[in-house]
Amino acid sequence: MISLSAPILVVDDDPKIVRLVRTYLEREGFRVVEAADGRSALAAVALEAPALVVLDLMLPEVDGLAVIRAVRRTAPTPIIVLSARGATADRIAGLAEGADDYLPKPFSPAELVLRVRRVLERTERGGAKTGPEPAPLRHGDLILDADRHEVALGGRPVVLTAVEFRLLAALLEAGGRVLSRDQLLDAVYGRGEVGVLDRTIDAHVRRLRERLGDDPDHPRYVATVRGVGYRAAPSMAEP
């Protein structure tokens, strides 16, 4: 059961879409706030600290991708893109910028509500405390604290999305074992999730490397195993 004190922020310049999404979300017990352009969306994120953002990409003032980039500089707020730009390249671009999910228009409002719930449940599980506090995961100067949902690099905090955090945790927990894209999809989105492309993992890895300042040709944190998947990069101390 999801219990939210923070609202869901719905961002779209089409008032009919906003009313439709609001109606379905409020019917499920969510509180909703609205924004009709990118600047208003960023102001609402700062003022309301929403639990999740439903975001159109083609917005006046500031476009949706710029909104995602701005939010991601400071917060791991979950973002679901809801856009008429539904081509595979557009979906991968949105996910690469830091979106947690992507639903093309025209869309089913019931499916959107389901996706909102799934993203919130994953976020809630990621922050839930169950049993003894786990020891932080360390890889050189990189530290991931699952209990506090924090990542530090050389003592400096790194802001990751919930998806990026789970991806990095899966790689570090594997202890150097290679994980296939399917295994990483399971770790990030959960088993049985449909409609998620395996290329999505490549986009998230690329974004994660950017946040960590990692060079894919000479990786310190995330290494590619061509034709197989990804692993935590061997440390400098390893032969």
Side-chain angles (χ1 to χ4, degrees):
M1 181 69 178
I2 299 172
S3 177
L4 297 180
S5 56
I8 305 295
L9 171 62
V10 178
V11 186
D12 202 301
D13 61 342
D14 184 339
K16 293 181 180 178
I17 295 289
V18 173
R19 284 197 299 272
L20 179 64
V21 174
R22 173 189 276 275
T23 296
Y24 272 78
L25 287 173
E26 289 183 339
R27 187 179 297 168
E28 296 297 316
F30 295 109
R31 184 164 64 90
V32 176
V33 294
E34 304 173 5
D37 59 68
R39 293 189 188 280
S40 298
L42 292 174
V45 169
L47 181 65
E48 300 285 352
L52 182 143
V53 180
V54 177
L55 177 69
D56 187 21
L57 292 185
M58 294 183 286
L59 295 170
E61 301 290 338
V62 178
D63 71 24
L65 291 178
V67 171
I68 295 173
R69 287 192 291 269
V71 172
R72 286 292 168 256
R73 284 195 287 270
T74 59
T77 308
I79 298 173
I80 297 178
V81 170
L82 183 64
S83 176
R85 288 155 56 176
T88 298
D90 292 318
R91 293 167 62 188
I92 290 176
L95 293 165
E97 290 295 348
D100 295 87
D101 203 351
Y102 197 114
L103 184 60
K105 297 176 181 175
F107 68 100
S108 159
E111 180 182 358
L112 174 61
V113 172
L114 176 61
R115 287 176 182 260
V116 166
R117 286 194 172 278
R118 285 184 174 178
V119 170
L120 289 172
E121 286 168 357
R122 289 196 298 261
T123 303
E124 193 174 69
R125 285 198 302 268
K129 295 184 178 181
T130 56
E133 181 176 327
L137 297 169
R138 298 175 182 269
H139 188 79
D141 59 349
L142 177 66
I143 301 174
L144 183 147
D145 190 325
D147 188 64
R148 293 178 173 81
H149 208 272
E150 295 174 347
V151 174
L153 181 60
R156 175 181 59 85
V158 179
V159 177
L160 300 181
T161 68
V163 167
E164 292 160 355
F165 188 92
R166 289 192 294 273
L167 175 61
L168 180 59
L171 290 167
L172 297 184
E173 287 171 352
R177 289 185 293 107
V178 180
L179 298 179
S180 69
R181 287 172 177 80
D182 285 342
Q183 288 174 313
L184 288 170
L185 281 172
D186 287 344
V188 169
Y189 290 102
R191 293 184 181 275
E193 184 70 22
V194 297
V196 182
L197 303 172
D198 59 2
R199 288 170 59 192
T200 299
I201 288 296
D202 297 335
H204 287 312
V205 167
R206 183 165 60 251
R207 189 67 176 174
L208 177 60
R209 282 171 167 158
E210 290 174 0
R211 296 189 191 282
L212 299 177
D214 204 14
D215 180 354
D217 294 324
H218 304 283
R220 293 185 297 158
Y221 309 112
V222 182
T224 302
V225 181
R226 296 195 181 281
V228 183
Y230 297 96
R231 59 168 293 192
S235 69
M236 297 303 292
E238 292 182 23

